[in-house]
Amino acid sequence: MMRWVNRLTQNGKFHPMWIVLAVVSVLIVASVVLIPSLHEGNKEAAYDPPVHTTPPHPAAANLPEPDAGQADAAPIAPATQPASFTPPAESAMPSGELGDTIKLGRNIFVNTQVYAKGLVGSGLNCVNCHLDAGRKADSAPLWAAYVMFPAYRDKNHKVNSFEDRLAGCFRFSMNGTAPEYNSKEMIALTSYSYWLAKGAPTGVELAGRGYPKLAKPPLAADVQRGASVYQANCALCHGPNGLGTQVNGSYAFPPLWGKDSYNAGAGMHSAKNAAAFIRVNMPLGKGNSLSVQQAWDVAAFVNSHERPVDPRAKQ
Ligand code: HEC
Ligand code: HEC
C-alpha cells in the first residue's frame, strides 16, 4: 500500500492528502446513510401508545370537543389487534348496481367538489385528509373506520352510526351540510367504505386507524417557529399565505386556512390531530421527515389562522 502510494506520489499523480480526502468522503457517505436509519429506529419511540384522552383546544374552551374521531371511540376500550389490513385493489371493484354505487362513493370521496357539490362549503375533498382515496394507513383510512361503528362519541354524546360519522366530516371538515341518510351520496360513501373493509374483522381497532398518536413535543408548540417550518417545507405547495394553489378554479393543493378550509369545529383544528397528520403525511411524499417538535410547531402555526367558525358556535 505505502509503496503504491510512494510510487503515485513520485509520479506527481498523487498527493497523500488524497487519502485524507478519501477517508473524509467515506465518513460523510456513511453518516448520510447511517444517521437516518438510526433515526428510523428512534421513530417508534416517538409515538406514545394510544391513550383515549383529548386535550381541549384553547379556542374551543366553551365549545363541545372538536371532531376527534379516534380519541372518542368508546368508553369501553375496543379490542386492539396490531394487524395490518390491505383493502381490495381498485381493479377488484364489483360490477352491477352495487359496483356502480361503490364507484360513486369513491368519486364523491376523491372529488367531493364535483360529485357532492351542493353539500360542501369548503374547497376541500375528503381525500385531502384521508389520503390515497381513503386507503392509506395512518391517514384515517375508511376500512379501519367502517368496522368500528356504531360507536359512542363524546363529541355528540350518543351512539353514532357510520352515517353519523360521515355527517360529522361533512359538517366540520368540509364546512358543509350532511347528506340525508338515505340519499344516494350517503349510501354511496357507506358502500365504498364497506367494500374497502371487505374481509376485515368487525369491532377490532385495526393498526393504521386514524392518525398515530404523536409524542408530546420537547418544548411547548410555538407559532413563530412553526412559521419558519411552514415557509421551508409547506409554502411551495400550499402557498406562501396558506390559501392553497388553484388550477382552473379547483385546488391542486388544498388551503390550510381561510374561507375555503376546514372550520374551527373540525378534527384537524385540534392540535393533536393536525400535528399527527402532518408528521406522518406531510410534506406530501416525505412523511415522517419533520421532527416531532416541527410537526407540533407547524400545526400550531396552521391553526393560528382565521378559518370558518364552528357551526355549533352560531347556534
Ligand atoms: C409537495 C406538495 C406539498 C407539500 C410540500 C406539503 N403538502 Fe400538505 N398537502 C398536499 C396535497 C396535495 C394535499 C392533499 C392530499 C390529497 O388530496 O391526496 C395536502 C394536504 C394537507 C393537509 C390536509 C388538507 C387541508 O387542506 O387542510 C394539511 C393539514 C397539510 N397538507 C399540511 C401541510 C403542512 C403543514 C406541510 C408542511 C410541513 C405540507 N402540507 C406540505 C401537498 C403538499
Ligand atoms: C380537513 C381534513 C378532513 C377532511 C377534508 C375530511 N376529514 Fe374525515 N376526518 C378528519 C379527521 C381529523 C378525523 C379524525 C381522525 C382521528 O381522530 O384520528 C376524521 C375522521 C373521519 C372518519 C372516521 C375515522 C375513524 O377511524 O373513526 C370518517 C369515516 C371520515 N372522516 C370520513 C370523511 C368523509 C366522508 C369526508 C368528506 C365528506 C371527510 N372525512 C373529510 C379530517 C378530515
Side-chain angles (χ1 to χ4, degrees):
M1 170 76 175
M2 276 325 282
R3 256 202 326 193
W4 172 70
V5 169
N6 282 340
R7 216 177 40 230
L8 283 175
T9 312
Q10 278 152 19
N11 287 346
K13 285 194 193 141
F14 191 82
H15 189 276
M17 198 57 197
W18 286 23
I19 295 197
V20 177
L21 282 176
V23 170
V24 169
S25 329
V26 167
L27 284 176
I28 289 172
V29 170
S31 65
V32 166
V33 173
L34 286 178
I35 290 174
S37 62
L38 287 175
H39 216 78
E40 205 78 32
N42 287 339
K43 234 174 248 159
E44 287 310 307
Y47 295 118
D48 283 340
V51 176
H52 289 260
T53 52
T54 313
H57 189 277
N62 302 318
L63 295 170
E65 276 304 298
D67 187 23
Q70 189 184 42
D72 58 16
I76 306 159
T80 299
Q81 178 178 290
S84 60
F85 173 78
T86 309
E90 190 82 28
S91 58
M93 217 177 255
S95 51
E97 294 271 342
L98 180 59
D100 291 344
T101 304
I102 293 170
K103 211 163 292 166
L104 176 63
R106 185 199 172 279
N107 289 343
I108 294 172
F109 199 79
V110 170
N111 196 349
T112 326
Q113 294 294 324
V114 167
Y115 289 89
K117 202 175 182 334
L119 300 165
V120 174
S122 70
L124 304 180
N125 297 306
C126 307
V127 69
N128 292 158
C129 305
H130 302 273
L131 304 191
D132 193 14
R135 291 167 172 273
K136 189 179 174 292
D138 297 337
S139 173
L142 289 174
W143 43 265
Y146 184 79
V147 297
M148 293 307 289
F149 286 85
Y152 177 84
R153 296 190 71 212
D154 282 338
K155 180 152 183 161
N156 48 25
H157 308 289
K158 63 170 187 170
V159 173
N160 285 222
S161 64
F162 188 68
E163 287 84 349
D164 289 329
R165 188 65 193 85
L166 296 174
C169 264
F170 269 98
R171 191 165 172 223
F172 301 105
S173 299
M174 304 294 284
N175 194 35
T177 318
E180 296 291 334
Y181 283 18
N182 57 1
S183 64
K184 72 173 189 331
E185 291 87 357
M186 198 57 111
I187 293 169
L189 282 168
T190 307
S191 303
Y192 177 52
S193 308
Y194 158 83
W195 176 72
L196 283 176
K198 190 174 176 178
T202 305
V204 175
E205 185 139 336
L206 295 165
R209 184 180 179 208
Y211 306 134
K213 191 173 191 300
L214 193 60
K216 289 250 166 346
L219 309 169
D222 181 83
V223 171
Q224 291 304 315
R225 277 197 310 265
S228 326
V229 176
Y230 183 85
Q231 291 311 329
N233 300 281
C234 324
L236 182 67
C237 296
H238 293 287
N241 52 13
L243 302 178
T245 309
Q246 282 187 312
V247 177
N248 298 332
S250 67
Y251 285 102
F253 298 111
L256 303 188
W257 59 83
K259 67 173 177 43
D260 285 347
S261 191
Y262 54 86
N263 70 39
M268 201 58 91
H269 198 237
S270 105
K272 81 174 169 62
N273 276 337
F277 170 86
I278 291 166
R279 155 87 178 180
V280 182
N281 300 299
M282 292 293 141
L284 194 70
K286 286 196 283 179
N288 285 315
S289 63
L290 298 181
S291 68
V292 169
Q293 184 70 54
Q294 287 175 316
W296 284 95
D297 289 344
V298 79
F301 173 70
V302 165
N303 280 335
S304 71
H305 291 88
E306 225 178 325
R307 62 182 64 257
V309 297
D310 186 331
R312 295 167 299 183
K314 290 185 207 155
Q315 291 157 3

